[in-house]
Amino acid sequence: MQALSNEVLTIKINPKGAELTSIFNHETGLEYLWNGNPDFWPKQSPVLFPIVGGLRNGTYNYKGKSYQMGRHGFTREFEFEVTQQTKSSITFTLQQNEKTLKQYPFNFSFSVTYSINKNMLTCAYSVTNTGYEIMYFSCGAHPAFNVPLTSDTTYTDWYLNFSSIENTPKWVLSKNGLIDNEPVTFLENTQQLPLNKPLFYGDALIFKNLQSNAISIKSDKSTHGLTLTSTGFPYYGIWAFKDADFVCLEPWFGLNDTEASTGELNEKEGILSLAPAENWTKNWMVELF
């Protein structure tokens, strides 16, 4: 386990999957990240790469060959190497290996950098195409934050606050983890979404066109909370395991397949491409208060 600390925050990261395991604020005395209770969901903040969501039949095609890959990709399966570290930041890197090439036929360098500044945590993703052909990929975040955040409140005391007024439908996941063809009316002229556990009984809430670049977890019964800012991410998932005390805020570059998906990797909705030697970077930030 690796750790970073300053006068306000201590964060911990597991090199396996480069996954956050703790965000503790010394000033508030609060732990903001879900504890990974295996009775509900054993993960805490998985990194999503090189796909986001699930594939139709767990399979995709590339250059006439079929490949299998699990939901949200394979990063959680691998130990990352610490490639750079300072007092306020740490970088974890994964490169292609024999096991990744069986699922994903590209040479790559994928780095995740965590940095802290006062009460702010930043997570940056960096993807470099180290091969000789165009590389196709998706990338996204999946941090699970404690709700309720304080012991004197309940789950339904908390709500999500969007930075902009939202008028947007949600895209529903079918039982096999694919996105339905038509969205459902959901957010209508509002900046708030009250939290309750049945909200997630049908799996994640998926959005394709949120106006907000920041979402906060707040309560009128507490001065504490957090704000996650993720400018430029085209897709967003909001999710919690059934009856668990957390909510995931998930900015994404990439999306689940639909029943109509062709299965061709280069035609997958939201897929990104990199020419040889090109680099792609993006970050999200969370303020803990």
Side-chain angles (χ1 to χ4, degrees):
M1 202 69 65
Q2 299 286 334
L4 289 175
S5 292
N6 63 16
E7 67 278 10
V8 181
L9 297 180
T10 292
I11 68 169
K12 296 179 181 179
I13 310 102
N14 189 342
K16 186 173 184 180
E19 182 175 6
L20 274 169
T21 61
S22 177
I23 307 172
F24 185 80
N25 186 317
H26 300 281
E27 292 185 338
T28 65
L30 296 175
E31 171 60 57
Y32 288 77
L33 201 67
W34 162 248
N35 62 17
N37 182 348
D39 291 339
F40 292 93
W41 187 55
K43 306 302 291 180
Q44 294 176 270
S45 182
V47 176
L48 316 184
F49 176 87
I51 62 168
V52 170
L55 299 167
R56 187 165 63 90
N57 299 321
T59 302
Y60 71 89
N61 301 312
Y62 178 69
K63 289 191 170 182
K65 187 174 179 180
S66 180
Y67 297 87
Q68 293 185 323
M69 191 184 302
R71 191 174 189 179
H72 293 319
F74 51 61
T75 51
R76 62 188 177 275
E77 303 170 19
F78 295 100
E79 292 279 339
F80 282 60
E81 179 185 359
V82 176
T83 50
Q84 188 172 352
Q85 187 167 8
T86 70
K87 289 184 178 180
S88 61
S89 70
I90 185 168
T91 299
F92 299 84
T93 301
L94 177 70
Q95 296 181 320
Q96 82 283 347
N97 57 52
E98 183 178 346
K99 290 183 178 180
T100 68
L101 289 169
K102 290 179 180 179
Q103 305 175 61
Y104 182 66
F106 299 98
N107 291 346
F108 65 87
S109 178
F110 176 49
S111 293
V112 183
T113 299
Y114 296 101
S115 57
I116 54 175
N117 180 20
K118 298 181 180 179
N119 66 329
M120 183 78 71
L121 162 66
T122 300
C123 176
Y125 304 125
S126 175
V127 181
T128 301
N129 181 353
T130 58
Y132 299 98
E133 60 184 2
I134 293 175
M135 171 185 170
Y136 297 97
F137 72 98
S138 292
C139 187
H142 203 314
F145 299 106
N146 282 326
V147 176
L149 188 57
T150 59
S151 60
D152 59 346
T153 57
T154 65
Y155 198 91
T156 53
D157 289 331
W158 295 80
Y159 60 89
L160 301 184
N161 190 80
F162 296 85
S163 59
S164 298
I165 294 174
E166 296 291 349
N167 284 282
T168 185
K170 67 176 180 179
W171 295 80
V172 179
L173 288 176
S174 62
K175 290 183 179 180
N176 55 0
L178 303 179
I179 292 177
D180 285 348
N181 292 328
E182 297 295 333
V184 175
T185 299
F186 193 65
L187 297 174
E188 296 185 276
N189 197 37
T190 184
Q191 285 183 261
Q192 291 191 4
L193 176 62
L195 290 175
N196 61 79
K197 291 179 177 178
L199 186 64
F200 304 106
Y201 284 1
D203 212 320
L205 314 176
I206 294 176
F207 303 97
K208 293 187 179 183
N209 55 347
L210 287 179
Q211 300 302 302
S212 300
N213 67 358
I215 299 177
S216 300
I217 299 176
K218 291 184 173 182
S219 171
D220 294 334
K221 297 183 178 180
S222 177
T223 58
H224 302 300
L226 64 91
T227 299
L228 191 149
T229 302
S230 54
T231 304
F233 285 75
Y235 307 106
Y236 215 104
I238 300 173
W239 176 79
F241 192 90
K242 185 177 180 180
D243 293 328
D245 286 336
F246 69 80
V247 64
C248 290
L249 301 180
E250 307 177 41
W252 295 340
F253 276 87
L255 209 59
N256 303 59
D257 277 356
T258 69
E259 288 289 358
S261 294
T262 65
E264 298 296 327
L265 184 62
N266 64 309
E267 297 175 357
K268 183 172 171 57
E269 182 174 359
I271 203 75
L272 300 171
S273 63
L274 273 181
E278 276 192 342
N279 174 263
W280 175 92
T281 60
K282 203 67 183 177
N283 67 55
W284 54 270
M285 300 171 287
V286 59
E287 179 184 9
L288 300 312
F289 54 85

